[in-house]
Amino acid sequence: MIRAILTAAFAVLALPAAAQVDIQEVTSPGGIDAWLVEDHSIPFVALDIRFQGGTSLDLPGKRGATYLMTGLLEEGAGGMTDQEFAAAEESLAARFSWNAYGDSVVISAEMLTETREASADLLRAAIMEPAFDETAFERVRGQVLSIIAGNQNDPDDIAPDTFAALAYGDHPYASQQEGTPESLAGLTPDDLHEAHRRLFTRDRLYVGAAGDITPEELGALLDHLFGDLPETGAEDVGEAPWNLTGGVTVVEFPTPQSVAFFGHPGIARDDPDFFPAFVLNQILGGGNFRSRLQDQVRVQRGLTYGIGTYLALSDHRPMLLGQFSSSNNLVAQAIEVVQAEWADIAENGVTETELEAAKLYLTGAYPLRFDGNANIAGILAGMQQDHMPVDYINTRNANVEAVTLEDVRRVAARLLQPDELHFVVVGRPEGLESSD
Amino acid sequence: MRHRLLRGLLGLAAAVWTAPALATGDVAEFTLENGMQAVVIEDHRSPAVVHMVWYRVGAADEPPGQSGIAHFLEHLMFKGTDDLAAGEFSQIVEANGGTDNAFTSWDYTGYIQRVSADRLGLMMEMEADRMRDLALDPEMVDTERSVILEERAQRTDSSPGALYNEQLRAALYLNHPYRIPVIGWRHEMEDLTREEALAFYSRYYAPNNAILIVAGDVDPDEVRALAEQHYGPLEPTPGLEPRARPSEPPQNADRRVIYEDPTVASPYVSRSYLAPERDPGDQETAAALSLLAEILGGGQTSLLSRVLQTEEQVSLYSAAFYDGLNLDDGSFTLLNVPVPGRSLEEAEADLDRMIARFLEEGIDPAQFERVKFLYEASEIYAEDDTSGLARRYGTALTSGLTVEDVAAWPEVIAATTIDDVMEAARMVFGQHSVTGYLTVPDAEDAE
């Protein structure tokens, strides 16, 4: 009975479901671009505001400045103290969040329709007129120091941080965006103003909007929020080097379970082979139970609770990365399984069954991503940041469908480099030593 | 100049109170003849549906000595039935462009799929199949036991904070099984058997112990027809009584938990009290405690954050939590992470000082109105998250509440007064408590 229905469902899915998303390209009277999905069913709007460059724009010796600057935006602005700003945000029931990443600083805002004007005034104050006053600066710097201390004691952070330090030379990617206790000690509020000037510019701005707002209203909002931004700021940083080769680095840490972080260079978003690589990663370690690694390491052998890989599409060094945790007495065996699967797919490609299953999943799941105003606003900002055409959503599933077994075989041979695959293992792994 | 913008904002905000017209989504409810309850939440904004089955059974219902069996069974539910091979359930969901998962807590175990709305019938067919016809290969059970031990190693044994919370909970509840971790105690997990899992399964996984929740682009009549087709033929378990767990005796002593680990980066102190949970038709005290948590340690203008973090700068982070969505007694917790150089004894004294000050000074009416407005607004934002709405009903209904209780909650919050909150605070803080330190060995010497 179930099999009969399943067959029917496969047949139906041969026509990929279309995402019902109507994107409007909005340009404000002042010339600021944004993408909008207009939906008046719930009385609020979500904005996703991104400044490309992120914490990688930190000046030499000023590591942590952009991260700290982002954390301080809501801690006093536009003539308000931190407490006054927080009380105003609560009074309006606006929801702002401020997040810093290696390639962008992301500001998410949700604003009720009935308080939108005043909420926008508040948001503008934080973005355009942050105070960075001395007291708030000291307090938030203390919070960042505790975050750094926490990361330095957490194997889930030590593993990728060690990998980055070994891999990326003197590029900002090699160090932690929060900075170090030493770099933070040298920062002043002036450094945060400088980080703000470098990053918060028109040419780095991308905006997605979704919810209860018209294109005209959005245009006015864009000019109000961003009209006074300077045109340009910092120069971009260059490409990150890749200084690792295949092998294992063990970092001793007192814990019953080791964390393994692994990877090697990947493929860029605009590479002609991107879609085959995307499908290949789904089959290799795309996070569901069907992936090769999840099946071989978890389901068949019980060596981990979960393993996954992902294409890290970083601006300055795209990577293929993965992570898992295994008890200290199992992790060496788990690494052997990963290495064997890596080599097998590089040499033999994948099966027709694996390819079809991955394509069915990817094409069917895609429309489900457009769920809720905040998610949609984020997708719209990300698409612009990646320089995708506005009709990308309509062509994306066809691009996945078009990937052939031969495409995957060719790209697997190019992308998967068993001899380049490096593992950083944090813990007390049994039978495993650093290879370098 | 300084307060120009702020005054404007507060003036505007004052006008907002009068216009909280909430566009709540349509919620329908029905019960099948075999006792299976169903809730349908309509949201036609995207062509997707969330399909969930929640069982009124969780870690607090496990037989003595079998801690972790509810969660282990949750894993085994993906390992095959008389119709489907191991792993095939998830394969079919994924082949239909969906995602699936499961979750276990003390009061419930739940299974969720998110798919295109036209696949709802297939999801029901498969979920109905595994409600009664699980078929477990013994060797696969052994491998999966290894997976849950790795899960415990990853989530608990590698995390000082998680190990600390586990010990705190065991101290907070003297007798109620909420004292036992959901994942299980390792020494008992190692001995869990296939037969124990199946015994637990055949008793509790039945339509008269299950709640169907469907949210998304669906019509309630169609959902009902599909549910009758797929879940209707399932046999109920006879003689399933409402759950009655061992209850708490009077707590006559304060307890202390000191957990030391060299990898703790930011030592902190926490204080937990038992607190009444939300009960059907009786949510007033819980509403007062929810507001109390916001006022004491919710946002940046809460008492703890404002005084300890901003004014005195003696705390890196502080918070208050109320956990009231349970079948039995909940908890109220305060937390304080002191700045470096300040001892945990001083941090504990800071918490005591804040409680005393709060009971003495009471609540600023402006803050009270802000917090209540945030609650109102959160209902608008919640409508954007269909899965979240579905989870809200599932959690409530497995905690003994009704659909009417969920619908009434915003009104109960709105009707709560400052006096109600103060009374709830005096009640909670008048009890014996558990005070815990998460710290490094010889912290005193290190300073």
Side-chain angles (χ1 to χ4, degrees), chain B residues 253-418:
Chain B
D254 289 330
R255 284 88 74 201
R256 296 190 86 79
V257 171
I258 314 246
Y259 191 90
E260 296 181 340
D261 187 297
T263 67
V264 170
S266 296
Y268 67 84
V269 56
S270 70
R271 166 84 55 79
S272 294
Y273 304 82
L274 284 188
E277 77 282 7
R278 283 168 66 179
D279 281 326
D282 177 15
Q283 305 186 87
E284 284 75 13
T285 305
L289 290 170
S290 297
L291 293 172
L292 176 65
E294 289 298 320
I295 290 162
L296 276 180
Q300 223 179 328
T301 69
S302 65
L303 182 72
L304 293 177
S305 296
R306 176 169 61 80
V307 177
L308 297 182
Q309 290 174 227
T310 306
E311 289 174 12
E312 300 182 1
Q313 309 228 19
V314 295
S315 172
L316 283 175
Y317 173 71
S318 60
F321 313 99
Y322 167 55
D323 172 22
L325 204 46
N326 311 294
L327 187 62
D328 302 313
D329 284 339
S331 60
F332 195 96
T333 298
L334 302 171
L335 187 146
N336 184 16
V337 187
V339 295
R342 195 163 180 87
S343 71
L344 291 182
E345 287 77 10
E346 289 170 301
E348 182 184 353
D350 288 335
L351 284 182
D352 285 330
R353 186 161 54 88
M354 287 303 103
I355 293 171
R357 174 167 163 179
F358 176 78
L359 293 174
E360 168 82 24
E361 291 182 359
I363 299 169
D364 169 23
Q367 187 199 7
F368 193 66
E369 288 310 313
R370 280 203 309 270
V371 166
K372 286 175 80 171
F373 180 57
L374 280 176
Y375 251 95
E376 282 179 26
S378 72
E379 294 296 311
I380 295 177
Y381 291 124
E383 284 183 55
D384 196 38
D385 178 9
T386 314
S387 299
L389 282 178
R391 277 197 302 277
R392 177 191 289 191
Y393 280 93
T395 314
L397 294 178
T398 52
S399 302
L401 300 174
T402 64
V403 170
E404 292 73 41
D405 291 320
V406 176
W409 180 247
E411 297 155 30
V412 178
I413 289 278
T416 304
T417 65
I418 286 179

Side-chain angles (χ1 to χ4, degrees), chain A residues 382-398:
Chain A
M383 286 172 64
Q384 295 169 81
Q385 205 174 6
D386 288 340
H387 305 294
M388 293 171 171
V390 73
D391 71 346
Y392 172 83
I393 293 172
N394 300 326
T395 61
R396 182 268 194 190
N397 271 0

Side-chain angles (χ1 to χ4, degrees), chain A residues 163 242 244-247 263-265 342 416-423:
Chain A
F163 187 96
W242 167 248
L244 272 170
T245 182
H264 61 44
W342 217 268
L416 299 182
Q417 301 295 329
D419 296 338
E420 285 284 298
L421 188 59
H422 196 94
F423 294 79

Side-chain angles (χ1 to χ4, degrees), chain A residues 309-327:
Chain A
T309 60
Y310 56 101
L311 292 171
L313 302 173
S314 311
D315 288 346
H316 309 296
R317 170 56 73 185
M319 296 289 295
L320 174 58
L321 299 170
Q323 185 162 357
F324 65 92
S325 300
S326 288
S327 288

Side-chain angles (χ1 to χ4, degrees), chain A residues 1-3 5-6 9-10 12-13 17-18 20 39 41-46 74-75 77-95 110-112 114-115 117-119 121-122 125 129 135-136 138-139 142-143 146-147 149-151 153-156 253-257 288-290 298-306 324-327 329-330 357 360-375, chain B residues 1-6 8-10 12-13 16-17 19-21 23 43 45-49 71 75 78-79 83-85 87-88 90-100 114-116 118-119 121-122 125-126 129 140 143-144 146-151 153-155 157-158 186 229-230 261-266 299-302 305-307 309-311 313 315-317 340 367 370-371 373-374 377-387:
Chain A
M1 186 59 187
I2 284 182
R3 278 163 215 287
I5 288 184
L6 177 60
F10 270 96
V12 171
L13 266 185
Q20 300 177 351
D39 179 348
S41 54
I42 305 175
F44 81 97
V45 65
E74 61 171 344
E75 302 283 350
M80 286 175 281
T81 67
D82 42 8
Q83 280 291 318
E84 288 164 350
F85 188 93
E89 190 179 338
E90 289 177 4
S91 298
L92 299 164
R95 297 179 171 192
E110 294 178 306
M111 303 185 283
L112 299 179
E114 54 189 330
T115 63
E117 202 174 322
S119 298
D121 287 345
L122 197 60
E129 303 170 44
T135 314
E138 290 300 336
R139 179 166 55 78
Q143 290 173 341
S146 80
I147 292 170
N151 292 349
N153 278 285
D154 186 343
D156 284 331
F253 193 84
T255 173
Q257 196 187 43
N288 51 6
F289 291 121
R290 294 211 66 179
R298 169 175 161 153
V299 179
Q300 301 295 330
R301 295 182 176 83
L303 300 176
T304 186
Y305 174 54
F324 65 92
S325 300
S326 288
S327 288
N329 62 331
L330 301 177
L360 279 172
Y361 172 70
L362 290 171
T363 54
Y366 187 59
L368 304 185
R369 281 194 205 173
F370 300 88
D371 173 38
N373 291 335
N375 284 343
Chain B
M1 212 36 202
R2 187 163 170 74
H3 297 281
R4 173 180 53 87
L5 183 52
L6 180 64
L9 294 172
L10 295 178
L12 260 176
V16 168
W17 312 129
D43 177 358
R45 291 180 301 150
S46 84
V49 68
H71 170 256
H75 277 235
F78 294 86
K79 294 300 178 185
D83 286 333
L84 292 177
E88 199 174 356
S90 298
Q91 287 174 23
I92 294 175
V93 174
E94 287 171 12
N96 283 276
T99 55
D100 73 324
R114 200 161 162 270
V115 286
S116 176
D118 58 359
R119 307 296 146 84
L122 177 62
E125 181 177 12
M126 294 199 298
D129 173 46
M140 204 163 284
T143 307
E144 200 61 23
S146 176
V147 170
I148 59 167
L149 287 166
E150 285 300 309
E151 182 177 357
Q154 182 174 334
R155 293 189 160 173
D157 299 330
S158 301
R186 175 172 280 273
Q229 178 190 344
H230 297 295
D261 187 297
T263 67
V264 170
S266 296
Q300 223 179 328
T301 69
S302 65
S305 296
R306 176 169 61 80
V307 177
Q309 290 174 227
T310 306
E311 289 174 12
Q313 309 228 19
S315 172
L316 283 175
Y317 173 71
Q367 187 199 7
R370 280 203 309 270
V371 166
F373 180 57
L374 280 176
S378 72
E379 294 296 311
I380 295 177
Y381 291 124
E383 284 183 55
D384 196 38
D385 178 9
T386 314
S387 299

